[in-house]
Amino acid sequence: MHKLASVMTYYWPFIKKYKRSISIPFLGFGIGIIFWKVLGPLLYRDLIDAFTNLQGYPDISSVLFHIALAISILVVSREVIFRISDHYLLKSQSKIISELYNFAFSNLVSHSYTFFANNFAGALVAKTKRFVRAFEHLFEHFVFSFWTNGVELVAIFIALFIMEPRIGLFFLGWSILYIFIVLIITNKIIPYDLKQAAQDSEVAARLADVITNMLNLKMFTSFKPEYSSFQDVTNREHEARFRAGKLHNFRSMVQSILIGVLEIGGLYLAIIFWLRGDISIGTIVIIQFYFWSIAAGVWSLGRSVSQFSQNLAESVEMVKIFEIKPDVLDAQQPELSKIKNGRIVFDNVSFSYKSGFSVFKNFSLIIESGETVGLVGLSGAGKSTITKLLLRFADVSSGAITIDGQNIASITQDDLRKSIAYVPQDPILFHRSLEENIRYGKPEANEDEIVEASKKAHAHEFINALPHGYATFVGERGIKLSGGERQRIAIARAMLKNAPILVLDEATSSLDTISEKYIKEAFEELMRDRTTLVIAHRLSTIKKMKRIIVLDKGEIIEDGNHEELLAKQG
């Protein structure tokens, strides 16, 4: 029940939003079930009694006609009610599914970059889809199984109690016993369903990881070890599925025994009461029909409970993600951004990763507006961490980072990043057109601006050579382009953004010599009057910087221009 409550915490706001349109199918299906499974059989009971006691009716044709007319009205009314209910169910359900996808998307992207670095993309996609689809299945189980079967059981109990109270009480006792036993078994099954869902996510994650790294698999001829590893994952999923399945089968066996008790016990009671003259033949037939209907209903209910617990387990995985507090949060009352010139100050900044690894301790650095600064150092020196903290992909442990005198933690992450153009070492593109990828830097840009930025980034030439030009789709993660081409698209995007701060993380590392020459010329223009941080390993990339900062183990060990550092022989 705790798992259901935690899941419903996220589903309920959307259900509540459409409570009016949702209440129509609940009401409609409830009435339709009573017409179909309870009142209809009662009319057939009267029909059977009329046929078996013709002498008791002076005008049998009139009686039969009125019963047939009542049955016809009931059938037509039932179908009309069902079709109206279907319409409103589809209308509300499809809208809620759409909004749940939007909610899951919004919640996921609110997490920091670190969160996505620590989770498989494939697993996140699988969990998101299962969370939304689980709502669809849970809702349908609730409407078409729990609700309709519940209405049917209550209505049949009332009908049986009116016809023969002793049979009604027998049915009531059986129902309580059945529900009690099935709920106990189901509660035992849920942990196994959760384990199965977790293993299923592991399969999806491993498959996505291998597909993403298919080039490595091919280049290192690692099919056999990857296949063996994948088999281990699927074997664990099989074991979890099998253990859960055995418990589901046990529940089905118990259900079969209980249903048999209902049918056989009800039949013997009906025969005894008929022999005593307490009930008619028609009543015997309808009692058995009710019990057969109940047997089918509770069997379906048992399967629905099984699937319900599985769907619940699938949705719980995503709920766990929803309940993770994002590493980086905006201030509750953020200030308006005042960033214009791009003067950056790291003021006694300390930072440690969650693993406990400390990168900076009381680190201070001032970068003046319009200054071009190169950051160099061995791997792990803290170069990339500086950009992560500046972009608020992670928050400082202590101290502050200010731009133009404003603490970056006091404004929204979106406002901060609008002021920074960032070109990573390995840019990843959307599986969209080249034009859309470049326009990402400035959504309102016109075609001329996009072409101009592409020319400056030395990308226009290769784009024009493509059959579809700027309309060319680049494949997942930009796989259809070479590394240098992806880099130039990322640079064009940054140029189009035209932000006061520019961060280049090995931005020319994937370029050939000729392209690098043109890009550097473009960068010189782009860097003019902008604060620029360049992370590089190539000396040729940074020797023209106004300042070169050498980092080692989170500390500045040298600071100066190229000539000054050479003179120091550091």
Side-chain angles (χ1 to χ4, degrees):
M1 291 303 293
H2 172 70
K3 301 295 183 185
L4 178 61
S6 64
V7 171
M8 286 304 297
T9 300
Y10 294 93
Y11 286 150
W12 179 247
F14 299 94
I15 296 172
K16 187 177 179 181
K17 185 176 178 180
Y18 296 96
K19 60 184 178 181
R20 289 186 180 179
S21 55
I22 287 176
S23 63
I24 293 175
F26 270 91
L27 181 63
F29 287 125
I31 294 172
I33 285 295
I34 292 173
F35 281 8
W36 180 20
K37 296 292 187 71
V38 182
L39 298 183
L42 288 175
L43 291 173
Y44 281 104
R45 178 201 63 177
D46 295 340
L47 196 63
I48 292 170
D49 286 342
F51 278 126
T52 55
N53 188 23
L54 296 176
Q55 291 79 13
Y57 296 95
D59 189 3
I60 188 62
S61 60
S62 177
V63 171
L64 294 176
F65 173 78
H66 282 95
I67 294 174
L69 179 62
I71 291 173
S72 300
I73 292 172
L74 205 63
V75 169
V76 172
S77 300
R78 178 194 73 199
E79 291 305 312
V80 170
I81 290 171
F82 278 158
R83 298 295 74 79
I84 292 173
S85 300
D86 281 337
H87 169 75
Y88 280 97
L89 180 67
L90 176 63
K91 181 180 178 181
S92 56
Q93 190 182 49
S94 60
K95 189 63 179 175
I96 291 173
I97 287 173
S98 175
E99 293 191 7
L100 283 173
Y101 269 123
N102 294 338
F103 170 74
F105 175 86
S106 177
N107 187 283
L108 277 177
V109 299
S110 70
H111 284 281
S112 68
Y113 179 79
T114 304
F115 170 83
F116 294 97
N118 293 332
N119 286 275
F120 285 110
L124 291 177
V125 171
K127 289 175 183 179
T128 300
K129 290 186 69 175
R130 284 205 296 264
F131 170 74
V132 177
R133 290 302 172 191
F135 164 78
E136 182 179 8
H137 297 313
L138 290 171
F139 189 70
E140 289 180 354
H141 289 318
F142 197 83
V143 174
F144 294 116
S145 188
F146 302 153
W147 170 249
T148 54
N149 278 302
V151 169
E152 181 182 356
L153 290 175
V154 171
I156 285 177
F157 166 70
I158 293 171
L160 287 172
F161 196 82
I162 292 172
M163 286 187 292
E164 174 49 63
R166 289 167 292 184
I167 292 180
L169 290 174
F170 166 73
F171 171 65
L172 176 63
W174 177 89
S175 298
I176 294 171
L177 178 66
Y178 179 89
I179 292 170
F180 178 72
I181 291 175
V182 169
L183 284 179
I184 288 177
I185 298 174
T186 299
N187 196 46
K188 299 289 185 183
I189 292 175
I190 287 177
Y192 290 89
D193 285 336
L194 288 169
K195 179 68 174 176
Q196 179 191 331
Q199 292 300 138
D200 185 66
S201 292
E202 188 178 347
V203 171
R206 179 57 63 93
L207 185 60
D209 189 40
V210 171
I211 290 174
T212 302
N213 288 277
M214 188 56 65
L215 179 61
N216 285 332
L217 184 147
K218 298 289 186 183
M219 288 302 300
F220 290 93
T221 61
S222 56
F223 169 77
K224 288 184 178 179
E226 286 294 343
Y227 181 71
S228 176
S229 178
F230 189 70
Q231 274 187 316
D232 291 340
V233 175
T234 55
N235 284 338
R236 288 196 294 271
E237 193 273 342
H238 155 70
E239 290 171 4
R241 184 184 298 275
F242 184 67
R243 285 195 295 268
K246 286 197 297 185
L247 284 173
H248 286 293
N249 288 341
F250 174 72
R251 181 172 57 195
S252 296
M253 180 187 71
V254 172
Q255 286 178 247
S256 298
I257 294 171
L258 291 173
I259 289 171
V261 169
L262 174 69
E263 293 188 46
I264 295 171
L267 176 62
Y268 274 97
L269 284 175
I271 291 172
I272 290 171
F273 293 144
W274 179 78
L275 289 173
R276 293 177 181 175
D278 295 337
I279 57 177
S280 66
I281 293 176
T283 301
I284 290 179
V285 173
I286 296 312
I287 286 173
Q288 286 309 114
F289 174 83
Y290 280 161
F291 286 162
W292 289 335
S293 180
I294 291 165
V298 295
W299 184 261
S300 172
L301 185 62
R303 292 182 64 86
S304 293
V305 168
S306 173
Q307 293 167 357
F308 188 89
S309 64
Q310 290 173 345
N311 296 142
L312 185 64
E314 290 175 350
S315 59
V316 163
E317 282 198 305
M318 194 64 186
V319 167
K320 289 179 180 178
I321 293 177
F322 292 156
E323 292 177 349
I324 296 174
K325 184 179 179 180
D327 295 333
V328 181
L329 292 169
D330 288 332
Q332 291 186 351
Q333 295 181 328
E335 301 174 2
L336 293 176
S337 175
K338 301 174 183 177
I339 299 174
K340 291 183 179 179
N341 302 316
R343 184 177 187 268
I344 302 169
V345 176
F346 283 73
D347 185 12
N348 288 315
V349 167
S350 296
F351 175 74
S352 299
Y353 286 102
K354 285 187 174 181
S355 62
F357 176 69
S358 178
V359 182
F360 295 121
K361 183 176 286 186
N362 299 323
F363 176 84
S364 294
L365 171 66
I366 298 175
I367 301 173
E368 297 296 342
S369 173
E371 194 171 30
T372 55
V373 177
L375 299 176
V376 297
L378 298 176
S379 296
K383 305 183 300 297
S384 296
T385 304
I386 285 178
T387 63
K388 287 181 182 177
L389 295 176
L390 179 63
L391 287 158
R392 284 200 74 200
F393 290 157
D395 273 336
V396 299
S397 304
S398 64
I401 301 174
T402 63
I403 301 178
D404 294 336
Q406 186 174 38
N407 191 326
I408 63 172
S410 67
I411 62 175
T412 67
Q413 297 170 64
D414 285 348
D415 282 346
L416 169 66
R417 292 165 193 161
K418 285 176 183 177
S419 302
I420 303 173
Y422 176 61
V423 181
Q425 181 177 1
D426 183 22
I428 297 172
L429 306 181
F430 291 96
H431 179 36
R432 301 172 191 174
S433 70
L434 285 164
E435 181 180 343
E436 288 178 280
N437 273 286
I438 296 170
R439 182 177 272 121
Y440 219 72
K442 184 181 177 182
E444 71 277 10
N446 58 41
E447 188 175 334
D448 290 340
E449 290 176 301
I450 292 171
V451 171
E452 181 63 23
S454 301
K455 287 180 178 178
K456 289 180 179 179
H458 202 56
H460 183 69
E461 294 86 349
F462 85 79
I463 293 175
N464 262 350
L466 296 171
H468 301 290
Y470 283 85
T472 302
F473 274 65
V474 300
E476 187 176 3
R477 301 167 66 91
I479 196 171
K480 293 183 179 180
L481 302 180
S482 69
E485 288 170 341
R486 287 199 301 272
Q487 196 71 284
R488 281 180 272 175
I489 295 301
I491 292 168
R493 187 163 56 191
M495 288 181 168
L496 192 63
K497 189 172 184 179
N498 197 26
I501 299 172
L502 177 65
V503 177
L504 306 176
D505 187 353
E506 289 285 349
T508 61
S509 62
S510 300
L511 301 178
D512 55 76
T513 305
I514 296 175
S515 294
E516 184 178 358
K517 175 179 179 295
Y518 287 110
I519 293 298
K520 284 181 179 177
E521 292 174 359
F523 276 158
E524 288 178 7
E525 179 183 342
L526 183 62
M527 292 177 187
R528 190 175 296 120
D529 299 324
R530 287 181 177 81
T531 306
T532 305
L533 275 73
V534 180
I535 297 174
H537 290 101
R538 293 188 191 181
L539 183 62
S540 59
T541 306
I542 60 166
K543 67 180 183 180
K544 291 185 179 180
M545 299 289 106
K546 291 181 180 179
R547 288 173 67 192
I548 298 174
I549 295 174
V550 184
L551 296 170
D552 184 37
K553 297 179 182 179
E555 295 182 355
I556 298 174
I557 58 173
E558 293 185 16
D559 187 349
N561 60 36
H562 183 61
E563 290 75 16
E564 290 170 346
L565 295 185
L566 286 177
K568 292 178 182 179
Q569 298 181 350

